[in-house]
Structures are given as structure tokens and as C-alpha cells.
């Protein structure tokens, strides 16, 4: 999704429908709805999205607000690193630069293992136990 924001992909709008034929898959929101609908129909499974951690990008901030609405509509999970104050708290620090040395968007191995990974683990354990549904 950070790549979509960087490349100026259109956000689109949340559909009032649950019929995949009504989703505009040329937009980010339409594609997200399509993925959830397909996974639920095809495999009968829950879907969990995640956001990246905070970085200065108004387009990505809009995408985060959009995925929250999509997840609410579809009762999908969301590992929301963007709005997580502990994650955001290190933005711009040496620790942040240690985890995001290349582009400030995509973590390196330590960033995934030591910073993002524990948040994924915590959320998914709670989600699978039904605590976040």
C-alpha cells in the first residue's frame, strides 16, 4: 500500500454493495473490498490487513483512514501500526533510522523482527482468540 500511495494510485470510495461486480478494482478501496469478498467466499476465512508505521505522507494517511472504513464494513482485522503511539513515538529518532535505513517506509530485517513483528504477534494472537472481533 505504501507503493500505491507513492505512485499516486486513486483511493476510490467504499462501495455500498457487497457484490464484487460493484467494486472498482482500479482503485485501492475497490481492490481491498474485492480481496476481502473473494477470500470470504472462496475460503470462508477472516482477512487481516496492516498499515505501515507512521511516516510523513498525506496520501498514505488517507489510505489508512480508508482501510479502517473497509475493515469496519467487512468485519476484517487491522494491525494498525500507523496510529500506534508506541510505534509513532520513535519516528525520526536514531532507533527509527536503525529499523528504516533505506527509504523510511520499509523496515529492514531488524525492523520487522524487533519493531513490527511483536505488534503483529500481539494483534494476531488477540484476533484469533476473538478479542478484537
Amino acid at each position: 500500500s505504501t507503493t500505491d500511495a507513492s505512485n499516486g494510485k486513486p483511493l476510490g470510495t467504499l462501495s455500498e454493495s457487497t457484490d464484487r461486480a460493484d467494486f472498482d478494482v482500479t482503485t485501492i478501496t475497490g481492490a481491498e473490498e474485492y480481496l476481502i469478498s473473494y477470500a470470504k467466499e472462496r475460503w470462508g476465512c477472516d482477512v487481516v490487513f496492516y498499515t505501515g508505521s507512521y511516516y510523513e505522507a498525506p496520501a498514505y494517511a488517507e489510505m489508512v483512514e480508508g482501510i479502517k472504513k473497509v475493515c469496519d464494513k467487512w468485519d476484517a482485522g487491522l494491525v494498525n501500526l500507523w496510529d500506534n503511539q508506541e510505534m509513532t513515538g520513535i519516528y525520526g529518532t536514531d532507533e527509527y533510522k536503525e529499523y528504516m535505513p533505506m527509504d523510511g517506509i520499509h523496515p529492514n530485517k531488524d525492523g520487522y523482527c524487533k519493531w513490527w513483528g511483536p505488534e503483529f504477534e500481539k494483534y494476531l494472537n488477540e484476533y484469533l482468540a476473538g478479542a478484537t472481533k
Side-chain angles (χ1 to χ4, degrees):
S1 64
T2 54
T3 304
D4 289 341
S6 300
N7 290 331
K9 297 283 184 185
L11 182 60
T13 57
L14 191 65
S15 170
E16 293 184 19
S17 174
T18 57
D19 183 344
R20 277 197 306 274
D22 295 334
F23 306 146
D24 181 358
V25 297
T26 65
T27 69
I28 294 164
T29 302
E32 291 164 344
E33 289 200 86
Y34 186 95
L35 289 169
I36 295 170
S37 174
Y38 184 84
K40 287 181 180 270
E41 181 182 305
R42 174 84 170 149
W43 297 292
C45 66
D46 289 339
V47 175
V48 177
F49 284 90
Y50 73 94
T51 70
S53 55
Y54 178 81
Y55 69 104
E56 291 193 35
Y60 194 69
E62 288 180 43
M63 289 179 65
V64 170
E65 291 307 310
I67 193 64
K68 288 188 227 178
K69 293 174 185 171
V70 168
C71 289
D72 284 345
K73 172 184 175 179
W74 289 92
D75 195 28
L78 180 62
V79 182
N80 186 351
L81 303 179
W82 181 269
D83 290 320
N84 180 318
Q85 292 303 316
E86 289 179 31
M87 303 293 289
T88 302
I90 72 163
Y91 181 73
T93 67
D94 287 340
E95 184 179 17
Y96 181 84
K97 292 173 190 167
E98 180 182 318
Y99 293 146
M100 301 282 215
M102 304 222 320
D103 63 6
I105 299 170
H106 300 95
N108 60 17
K109 183 178 177 183
D110 279 348
Y112 279 112
C113 291
K114 297 176 183 177
W115 188 37
W116 284 20
E119 293 300 318
F120 278 84
E121 181 179 15
K122 178 179 149 189
Y123 180 88
L124 292 171
N125 282 326
E126 291 173 1
Y127 184 84
L128 293 171
T132 60
K133 291 185 180 180

